[in-house]
Structures are given as C-alpha cells and as structure tokens.
Amino acid sequence: MNPAQEPRSDAPRAEAPGPPRLAVVVPCYNEEAVLPETSKRLLALLDRLIGNAQVQADSVICFVDDGSRDRTWSLIEGLVASGSRVRGVKLSRNRGHQQALLAGLFSMQADAIVTIDADLQDDIDAIEQMVVEFKQGAEIVYGVRRDRNSDTRFKRGTAGLYYQLLRRLGVEIVPHHADYRLMGRRAVDALREFSEVNLFLRGVIPLLGFPTARVYYDRVERFAGVSKYPLRRMVSLALDGVTSFSVTPLRIISALGLTICILSTGMVAWVLYGHFAMDTTVPGWASSVLPIYFLGGVQLLSIGVVGEYVAKIYLETKRRPRFFIERVI
C-alpha cells in the first residue's frame, strides 16, 4: 500500500536543483538474523530510486553496529567488501539505540538522511515518498504509523496513554512516530548543537523548527530475530521523554505539598475546635495512623521524582562523550 501524505507545515524550503544524495542509516544490535534481508531490500530500493533519478548515484546505506555480540559486524564487513553501496560504522561498545542513530547521522555526508530500524517492521517503500516531500521543501519528514493494530493490546493502551501524558506535560511530540524519519542537511547540522547525554530524539527533533511533513505507512511484524526493546528499556526511554522535556512533575509535587499542608492545617483546626469547643475527640487509631501512611507515601514518591531529575543532572554535568566510533568502513 502506498503511504499517504499530509500537507506540509511551515514555509517550504527552496527546491533543490537536482536529486539529493541520500544516506539511509540503520542502527543494529545483534541483528544477524535479519541483516541479510534488510540489506537486500534496502539496496533494491536504493537502486530503484537511483534508476528513477530520484536520488544521486552515490547514495549509500550505513549500518551502525551498536556493540553487537553476534555476527552483525562480520556481515556488515561482507556487505562493504562486496562492492555494494554499503558503509559500516562500528561503535566501541553498546551505547543504546538513540546514540547509535546519532553516530550514523553525524558520520554521513549527504543532502538527506533517513533513519530506520533493521527489523523491517517499518515500510521501507515510504522512503520514496519521504524523498518526494524533501524535494518539495520539507526539511524533516516523519514516518508515522497509520494504526497500531500490529501491537498487543497492552502496548497499544500504554502507548496511547504515554502520548497523552507527554502532551499534557507540554512536550511537543508526533504521535505514533518512533525514529523512522528523513532529515535534511540543515536539520542534522542543527541537531549537532544539542549536547545532552539523556537523549530522546522524538522530543528533540520537533524542537528544530524546520518545515516538516508526514508520511503514513503500515507497520508489520518483525521479519526475524527478537525485539531489542524489552519492557525495561521502553520504560527507561519513556522516563527520558518526560524528565528531559518537562518540569511539570516537580511542579505537581510542589502543588501536592501545598495542598497537603492546607488540609493538615484544616485538620488541626478541626481537632482543636472539637476538643475545646465541643469537648469531644475522635476515637480510634485511623485518624492518626492513616495520615502518617499517606504523608509517608507522598514523601517517598516525591523523593523518587526529584531523584530522577537529580540523576539526569548528574549525568549531564559529567559531560562524558556520548559514544566512541571504533571503526568506519
């Protein structure tokens, strides 16, 4: 099914005089099971785009090995050695999906760079429409899922709640968009200015402010292998999305603390009035024990939220490099 398109937002960039030089960046972590098929399909797509004069003949595919422990890098070396349009970037150790994407983006010299996962769940044919949108003036083209029918009910529900939460917290994000996108050279150069370690590209990219477009596609099941994003990593990424772009949780804590103080003051006044004016007291332990449990829970929750922000500050102030590139072929 051909991906549908949405009208572009903002003023369009001047159309390039000729076809752009395209680079497709594919982060890989233990992807030996799917890499041969992924490279085959992407190379076929690139040949078709070159044959139709939609991109330049020196367009390439770049596989970024994010510290894989299987034969992923050996397969990448074989693809490069075969004389095809493949480049390889090997990180010194596993640094995570977001950092691998950055390594590929910053290593490629191209007019437009597409980032896509290696699992073939994202429709690679959408790249053709992304290139069309880029040539018509969009500097950033988002690949957006048409629906989430391929997900489990749990994942659909939690994803919907998460997008709603981010929007309520004031985070600008494109719903149902992961990291399948096209970025022009200006957008990639602007992205270099963001130096934070706790990177959440889905929130950073909309901050760049260039003209954008959306291309819709259908997501399918993973071709082979297993997902490299278990629940633990998904929760970690979700926390990065909240704490990296919004201070609203801290303000909620302040408001909650103020509310509890007001209610506690009112409770004290009520107890004093009952004791001195009405000569009555409330029997039982609930009136004393339950508030202690409630306030203790609120305090622990508040300390946890503040601690999450402090941890992010700690990681940012160290200014450690986000990744090291061991080899480029």
Side-chain angles (χ1 to χ4, degrees), residues 227-303:
S227 173
K228 305 308 183 298
Y229 254 92
L231 181 61
R232 175 180 57 84
R233 288 200 175 187
M234 291 175 62
V235 171
S236 177
L237 184 65
L239 287 175
D240 284 341
V242 172
T243 56
S244 298
F245 292 91
S246 177
V247 295
T248 301
L250 296 177
R251 293 171 179 168
I252 291 176
I253 289 176
S254 300
L256 182 61
L258 178 62
T259 301
I260 291 176
C261 287
I262 294 174
L263 293 176
S264 299
T265 303
M267 184 178 292
V268 170
W270 176 73
V271 171
L272 292 177
Y273 175 79
H275 179 73
F276 291 105
M278 302 179 64
D279 195 24
T280 59
T281 57
V282 180
W285 56 271
S287 60
S288 58
V289 174
L290 291 180
I292 292 176
Y293 281 136
F294 175 69
L295 291 175
V298 170
Q299 288 173 345
L300 290 174
L301 175 63
S302 302
I303 291 172

Side-chain angles (χ1 to χ4, degrees), residues 5-321:
Q5 66 184 79
E6 180 182 76
R8 292 180 303 277
S9 62
D10 305 323
R13 163 179 51 81
E15 186 171 343
R21 182 172 188 260
L22 179 69
V24 181
V25 171
V26 187
C28 305
Y29 178 66
N30 295 340
E31 297 288 3
E32 67 172 345
V34 73
L35 196 57
E37 184 66 21
T38 301
S39 60
K40 175 183 175 181
R41 295 189 188 184
L42 287 175
L43 285 170
L45 172 69
L46 200 58
D47 288 339
R48 185 170 76 246
L49 294 176
I50 294 173
N52 295 335
Q54 293 179 271
V55 299
Q56 292 185 16
D58 56 350
S59 298
V60 297
I61 300 170
C62 175
F63 292 101
V64 181
D65 181 16
D66 185 23
S68 298
R69 299 178 180 178
D70 59 3
R71 296 178 55 251
T72 295
W73 180 247
S74 298
L75 293 174
I76 295 173
E77 288 181 315
L79 290 170
V80 175
S82 67
S84 60
R85 302 182 182 90
V86 177
R87 304 291 180 268
V89 174
K90 180 176 174 60
L91 302 188
S92 60
R93 63 182 298 269
N94 178 250
R95 296 298 300 168
H97 181 264
Q98 301 290 281
Q99 308 298 350
L101 284 175
L102 274 192
L105 285 169
F106 295 165
S107 298
M108 292 293 99
Q109 296 298 320
D111 302 315
I113 303 178
V114 172
T115 55
I116 183 173
D117 290 342
D119 53 19
L120 293 176
Q121 288 190 273
D122 298 322
D123 183 10
I124 65 172
D125 290 330
I127 295 176
E128 186 171 0
Q129 184 61 44
M130 289 182 180
V131 172
V132 171
E133 294 290 341
F134 173 75
K135 294 175 67 176
Q136 292 181 359
E139 189 68 22
I140 302 171
V141 184
Y142 298 107
V144 181
R145 296 176 60 172
R146 191 174 279 111
D147 55 54
R148 304 190 71 95
N149 293 335
S150 61
D151 290 343
T152 63
R153 181 177 300 180
F154 172 77
K155 192 170 183 179
R156 283 199 304 269
T158 54
L161 291 175
Y162 180 61
Y163 286 124
Q164 292 181 20
L165 174 63
L166 288 180
R167 286 195 164 186
R168 290 183 180 274
L169 294 179
V171 182
E172 184 178 356
I173 194 168
V174 179
H176 309 302
H177 161 73
D179 291 296
Y180 186 23
R181 68 179 73 88
L182 179 148
M183 298 180 66
R185 173 48 51 190
R186 288 190 303 164
V188 174
D189 291 340
L191 183 60
R192 292 178 183 270
E193 302 298 320
F194 288 80
S195 58
E196 61 247 46
V197 175
N198 303 289
L199 196 62
F200 185 66
L201 287 175
R202 303 177 200 182
V204 170
I205 303 300
L207 297 179
L208 300 180
F210 293 101
T212 64
R214 299 185 187 185
V215 170
Y216 292 89
Y217 68 95
D218 294 315
R219 189 174 172 89
V220 298
E221 295 293 332
R222 184 183 178 90
F223 179 80
V226 296
S227 173
K228 305 308 183 298
Y229 254 92
L231 181 61
R232 175 180 57 84
R233 288 200 175 187
M234 291 175 62
V235 171
S236 177
L237 184 65
L239 287 175
D240 284 341
V242 172
T243 56
S244 298
F245 292 91
S246 177
V247 295
T248 301
L250 296 177
R251 293 171 179 168
I252 291 176
I253 289 176
S254 300
L256 182 61
L258 178 62
T259 301
I260 291 176
C261 287
I262 294 174
L263 293 176
S264 299
T265 303
M267 184 178 292
V268 170
W270 176 73
V271 171
L272 292 177
Y273 175 79
H275 179 73
F276 291 105
M278 302 179 64
D279 195 24
T280 59
T281 57
V282 180
W285 56 271
S287 60
S288 58
V289 174
L290 291 180
I292 292 176
Y293 281 136
F294 175 69
L295 291 175
V298 170
Q299 288 173 345
L300 290 174
L301 175 63
S302 302
I303 291 172
V305 174
V306 173
E308 185 68 26
Y309 279 91
V310 172
K312 294 294 189 297
I313 296 172
Y314 170 68
L315 293 174
E316 294 292 343
T317 54
K318 290 190 292 185
R319 311 306 301 166
R320 290 179 178 174

